[in-house]
DNA sequence: CCCCTATCCTGAGGGC
DNA sequence: TGCCCTCAGGATAGGG
């Protein structure tokens, strides 16, 4: 469900409710876990105090004292809420982390594509190391490395944006949005794009994600924040889920295509391909 | 290696 | 009302 801005919204919502809380009991739904060892591992958390919450890309983690961290991926439909223990349980509640103050953190995930993993700090760091720079925290010195990797790739730029090992936190909504802002054709290959154009794309990614964070995320289908409220960013999108609606720049109707099984939305006039542009067969970088 | 496809799941919505 | 189909903010093993 969530991309970087949505995960960060949730992290900010729940962190003040969790820091310094003592975990009194862990409850898990066995259906959610593949092995019994994973379930029993969570018992180690009982009695531990929560130290802080962190995030990189779409990966969220809870650090406790000692060497235990919980790594959380929300997948397509995962949600996190801090509620009173006595509050009625929603269907598909898979994890409850109860605290001494009579509240509990609940993880709800109908499709079960999310994950909830107890790990050491070392293991957490190696998971973070698999991810590329995050637009909320990257430095300009990261750009050269990111752009170099993109220009080595034969894949479409849309698919590259979804690759978490290159840029962390961009998902299907903000990939389309960033390409629109940077005026890049989604099927253009990474190796066909100039450094100048890719710099614009990185800036555009940062811009659309910052806007989304300011509006507490995009509620397209099921996403809600840590309080169970929908985010306001849907009305600030340019192209995502706007098939056959006029482009804000040129009024051309927005197109929808499928790339690697996932929908991409773009303006075929504002985001023209290299092939369409150079009819003589020469391949100037755009 | 690199890249694409199928797959893991439930639920909402449309057509008939 | 129900049945069947498609689609959905993600990640990844495995095959070509």
């Amino acid at each position: 469900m969530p991309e970087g801005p949505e995960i960060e919204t949730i992290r900010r919502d729940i962190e003040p409710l969790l820091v310094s809380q003592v975990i009194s009991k862990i409850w898990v739904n066995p259906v959610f876990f593949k092995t019994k060892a994973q379930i029993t591992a969570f018992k180690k958390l009982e009695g531990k105090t929560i130290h802080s919450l962190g995030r990189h890309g779409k990966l969220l983690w809870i650090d406790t004292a000692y060497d235990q961290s919980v790594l959380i991926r929300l997948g397509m439909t995962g949600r996190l809420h801090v509620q009173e223990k006595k509050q009625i349980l929603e269907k598909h509640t898979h994890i409850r982390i109860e605290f001494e103050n009579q509240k509990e953190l609940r993880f709800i995930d109908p499709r079960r594509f999310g994950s909830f993993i107890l790990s050491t700090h070392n293991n957490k760091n190696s998971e973070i190391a698999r991810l590329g720079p995050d637009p909320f925290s990257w430095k300009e010195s990261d750009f050269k490395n990111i752009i170099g990797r993109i220009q080595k790739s034969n894949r479409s730029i849309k698919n590259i944006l979804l690759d978490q090992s290159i840029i962390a936190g961009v998902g299907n909504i903000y990939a389309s949005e960033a390409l629109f802002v940077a005026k890049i054709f989604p099927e253009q290959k990474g190796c066909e794009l100039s450094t100048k154009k890719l710099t614009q794309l990185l800036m555009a990614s940062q811009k659309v994600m910052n806007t989304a964070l300011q509006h507490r995320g995009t509620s397209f289908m099921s996403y809600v924040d840590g309080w169970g409220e929908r985010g306001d960013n849907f009305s600030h999108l340019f192209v995502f889920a706007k098939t056959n609606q006029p482009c804000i720049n040129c009024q051309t109707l927005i197109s929808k295509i499928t790339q690697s099984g996932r929908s991409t939305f773009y303006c075929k006039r504002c985001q023209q391909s290299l092939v369409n542009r150079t009819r003589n067969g020469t391949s100037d970088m755009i």
Side-chain angles (χ1 to χ4, degrees):
Chain A
M1 104 208 214
E3 308 179 29
E6 290 75 30
I7 306 285
E8 179 60 16
T9 301
I10 293 168
R11 193 194 68 78
R12 292 180 184 184
D13 286 348
I14 65 177
E15 183 177 44
L17 301 170
L18 298 185
V19 169
S20 301
Q21 293 299 325
V22 179
I23 296 169
S24 54
K25 194 167 189 291
I26 308 271
W27 176 94
V28 301
N29 176 2
V31 166
F32 182 74
F33 289 94
K34 297 195 172 58
T35 67
K36 267 201 165 156
Q38 290 177 298
I39 298 173
T40 54
F42 274 96
K43 291 286 168 192
K44 290 182 186 172
L45 286 178
E46 293 179 353
K48 299 279 165 42
T49 302
I50 291 181
H51 181 261
S52 60
L53 270 68
R55 181 200 60 83
H56 188 99
K58 303 173 196 170
L59 181 66
L60 179 68
W61 59 86
I62 300 172
D63 285 336
T64 67
Y66 307 100
D67 195 33
Q68 309 294 325
S69 294
V70 181
L71 303 185
I72 303 169
R73 290 188 181 90
L74 296 182
M76 294 282 252
T77 54
R79 290 155 46 197
L80 289 170
H81 298 307
V82 178
Q83 295 175 322
E84 299 290 333
K85 282 185 199 174
K86 62 187 176 190
Q87 196 153 338
I88 292 172
L89 286 182
E90 273 187 67
K91 196 175 178 183
H92 305 298
T93 300
H94 302 309
I95 320 259
R96 296 156 63 195
I97 299 180
E98 303 181 14
F99 307 112
E100 290 178 347
N101 69 356
Q102 300 306 305
K103 295 189 181 198
E104 61 186 30
L105 174 67
R106 293 176 176 177
F107 171 67
I108 303 145
D109 185 8
R111 290 179 76 178
R112 289 187 247 147
F113 289 174
S115 62
F116 221 90
I117 301 163
L118 186 64
S119 80
T120 61
H121 290 328
N122 267 348
N123 184 47
K124 179 189 78 174
N125 289 334
S126 66
E127 286 295 315
I128 296 168
R130 294 170 55 200
L131 302 170
D134 182 310
F136 290 129
S137 57
W138 64 26
K139 306 176 203 74
E140 268 193 54
S141 58
D142 292 322
F143 278 31
K144 197 174 173 182
N145 184 33
I146 298 169
I147 289 170
R149 291 186 64 186
I150 294 174
Q151 288 174 331
K152 283 188 188 69
S153 177
N154 251 323
R155 303 154 75 191
S156 72
I157 187 62
K158 159 70 180 331
N159 283 354
I160 294 169
L161 281 176
L162 292 181
D163 185 337
Q164 300 300 296
S165 72
I166 296 175
I167 300 173
V170 177
N172 210 36
I173 293 178
Y174 304 117
S176 282
E177 293 297 300
L179 289 166
F180 174 79
V181 171
K183 299 190 192 300
I184 295 172
F185 179 55
E187 293 189 294
Q188 204 77 58
K189 291 170 185 248
C191 59
E192 295 169 337
L193 289 159
S194 67
T195 298
K196 183 183 170 189
K197 206 69 192 162
L198 289 172
T199 303
Q200 289 170 8
L201 179 60
L202 299 190
M203 303 291 278
S205 308
Q206 192 169 42
K207 185 179 160 191
V208 298
M209 291 173 79
N210 272 322
T211 300
L213 180 59
Q214 280 169 26
H215 295 106
R216 305 185 55 76
T218 302
S219 286
F220 167 54
M221 297 193 70
S222 62
Y223 162 76
V224 289
D225 64 22
W227 307 106
E229 305 282 333
R230 292 169 68 82
D232 297 325
N233 197 61
F234 190 83
S235 59
H236 296 268
L237 300 179
F238 301 113
V239 290
F240 184 83
K242 294 194 185 292
T243 314
N244 290 330
Q245 294 179 46
C247 166
I248 58 152
N249 293 332
C250 72
Q251 279 66 55
T252 300
L253 301 185
I254 299 301
S255 306
K256 176 182 177 176
I257 56 174
T258 300
Q259 294 180 272
S260 292
R262 308 198 69 193
S263 295
T264 305
F265 303 86
Y266 76 108
C267 172
K268 62 181 190 287
R269 181 161 175 206
C270 294
Q271 298 167 262
Q272 291 195 18
S273 79
L274 181 66
V275 176
N276 288 341
R277 199 178 270 196
T278 59
R279 290 167 160 272
N280 62 7
T282 61
S283 55
D284 297 324
M285 282 210 168
I286 59 170

